[in-house]
Amino acid sequence: MNIEFILTLIPKVCEWLEYQENNIISIGRDLTPEELAIAKRIGIKNYDIIRVYESSVVPNPSDIVLKELGKQIGLISTNTSGICFRYGIFIHENTIDKKAVLTHELIHTLQYERFGSIKAFITQYLKECIEVGYHQSDLEKEACEGVKLVTM
């Protein structure tokens, strides 16, 4: 998939992300006191609305094109340990280091806040993943580095 085509999918991606966020906010748990302290420490403004949902079923778009996009970029697979949907965070229940994964996803929540909207964040995130690769994207590197700083 080329970048121009992927950018045409942004409205569909945003719709799916918002649906997942709302679902997790309605069924997820509050942050624990330790998790709340991490959210505050990294600078999340709206830490009080974050919810976490742990399950063995990784959220996956039903739309075939979005599903393929997630797979090609490396965002969603059976090995996915966590996904941030702004204030709704999914953690795979079999994840070994849940604190590190949650911290990583909380840093993505902070990034969503910095960008000001789901659309602005996901547009930049997808561009980076396509242009330089998932592991080389600046937003992903920031989340990985942040985990090291917070969990030390």
Side-chain angles (χ1 to χ4, degrees):
M1 289 187 199
N2 66 38
I3 188 83
E4 291 81 22
F5 175 69
I6 291 169
L7 292 178
T8 68
L9 298 175
I10 293 295
K12 275 184 158 184
V13 172
C14 290
E15 185 179 307
W16 181 72
L17 290 170
E18 288 172 9
Y19 172 81
Q20 293 300 324
E21 176 188 41
N22 290 332
N23 185 50
I24 290 173
I25 286 173
S26 70
I27 64 173
R29 65 168 176 79
D30 292 338
L31 295 175
T32 66
E34 180 185 16
E35 294 165 346
L36 189 58
I38 292 169
K40 289 178 181 180
R41 180 174 174 198
I42 63 175
I44 295 172
K45 292 181 183 108
N46 297 305
Y47 53 81
D48 55 326
I49 61 174
I50 298 170
R51 299 293 179 271
V52 178
Y53 179 67
E54 295 184 37
S55 173
S56 63
V57 179
V58 178
N60 220 321
S62 57
D63 182 283
I64 301 290
V65 177
L66 293 185
K67 189 179 284 194
E68 185 60 29
L69 172 65
K71 190 187 319 178
Q72 280 190 17
I73 293 176
L75 299 175
I76 302 172
S77 75
T78 55
N79 297 325
T80 298
S81 56
I83 305 174
C84 177
F85 302 103
R86 192 169 51 176
Y87 297 113
I89 297 175
F90 165 82
I91 303 290
H92 196 286
E93 65 185 17
N94 295 332
T95 296
I96 294 170
D97 191 351
K98 289 183 183 177
K99 179 180 178 183
V101 171
L102 182 63
T103 301
H104 180 102
E105 301 310 330
L106 286 170
I107 293 168
H108 286 311
T109 297
L110 177 66
Q111 293 167 340
Y112 272 105
E113 286 188 340
R114 276 200 323 246
F115 276 88
S117 71
I118 288 175
K119 182 180 180 185
F121 169 78
I122 204 62
T123 300
Q124 181 62 33
Y125 188 82
L126 290 175
K127 279 182 184 178
E128 289 182 13
C129 287
I130 291 157
E131 291 171 356
V132 297
Y134 173 76
H135 294 289
Q136 296 307 313
S137 84
D138 287 340
L139 293 168
E140 205 47 46
K141 285 182 185 178
E142 178 186 10
C144 291
E145 287 301 312
V147 170
K148 293 175 191 171
L149 295 174
V150 172
T151 58
M152 291 171 89

